[in-house]
Amino acid sequence: MTWTIAPEPHDSPVAAALWRAYYTEVSDRWYLLHEGHRTDPDELEREIAARPGTELTPPTGRLLVGRYGGEPAGTAGVRLLDPDTAELTRVFVAEGLRGRGGAALLVAAAEEAARGLGARRLILDTRADLVEARALYARLGYTETARHNDDPYAEHWFRKDLPAPDAGARAVNRS
């Protein structure tokens, strides 16, 4: 089986199902760690509805969906914060498909999408308990930085400078 990654509308049924899986997992993980219970279902529904992903739409954002063997399996999103900086967000691979290289492919595709939006760097935040995410970002060349936002759940902030396209690609694009 192989991975394919392509842009997806933030409000498609596939994107909505993957967003629900992502948010449920990270929310339940936080509540189980800090309060000993899963997320209250009403709170979960409010938070999912409050964060529909509209910032991940062109011309200033992209949502990418990874499919494994044709089945929706993960996401990664980017959104421009300023002309040079994009934020990497919603990096997720469904639990049963982890360990098959999808996360690295999704991040690489998100980096390419960010370059396509004109970004020269990507930033992101994550939590201390998401150790797998932190290890992934470090392995992919992201460096931990000082706080860059006021998200109350963020505990670690990362940055990666994006290489410019090679000179040959620039020459082709200018002609």
Side-chain angles (χ1 to χ4, degrees), residues 23-36:
Y23 196 83
T24 300
E25 182 175 331
V26 297
S27 182
D28 280 353
R29 192 166 178 168
W30 189 90
Y31 274 107
L32 287 166
L33 178 66
H34 295 283
E35 297 186 14

Side-chain angles (χ1 to χ4, degrees), residues 6-175:
E8 182 83 21
H10 79 281
D11 56 354
S12 76
V14 166
L18 288 167
W19 170 231
R20 175 173 293 283
Y22 167 87
Y23 196 83
T24 300
E25 182 175 331
V26 297
S27 182
D28 280 353
R29 192 166 178 168
W30 189 90
Y31 274 107
L32 287 166
L33 178 66
H34 295 283
E35 297 186 14
H37 63 83
R38 295 191 181 281
T39 311
D40 173 85
D42 291 336
E43 178 185 351
L44 187 66
E45 292 306 315
R46 282 192 307 274
E47 289 301 314
I48 288 170
R51 300 171 190 236
T54 55
E55 71 279 7
L56 303 177
T57 59
T60 58
R62 298 286 184 279
L63 178 66
L64 303 168
V65 166
R67 288 176 168 79
Y68 186 73
E71 294 299 316
T75 63
V78 292
R79 67 181 181 122
L80 278 179
L81 300 176
D82 65 46
D84 292 327
T85 308
E87 179 183 33
L88 177 62
T89 186
R90 294 194 187 193
V91 176
F92 171 73
V93 173
E95 187 174 7
L97 296 171
R98 293 177 188 157
R100 297 178 184 177
L105 292 171
L106 281 160
V107 171
E111 290 171 359
E112 187 61 33
R115 274 192 292 278
L117 296 172
R120 297 182 353 188
R121 76 188 61 82
L122 266 173
I123 62 172
L124 65 96
D125 65 67
T126 191
R127 298 188 328 231
D129 63 304
L130 300 175
V131 294
E132 304 90 345
R134 292 185 5 245
L136 170 72
Y137 300 133
R139 183 170 50 85
L140 296 178
Y142 288 78
T143 56
E144 201 152 352
T145 64
R147 174 185 288 268
H148 63 252
N149 64 23
D150 60 359
D151 183 328
Y153 296 104
E155 298 167 307
H156 295 270
W157 296 264
F158 289 84
R159 171 190 168 133
K160 183 176 184 179
D161 291 331
L162 300 174
D166 66 46
R170 280 195 299 269
V172 170
N173 289 335
R174 291 181 182 169
S175 53

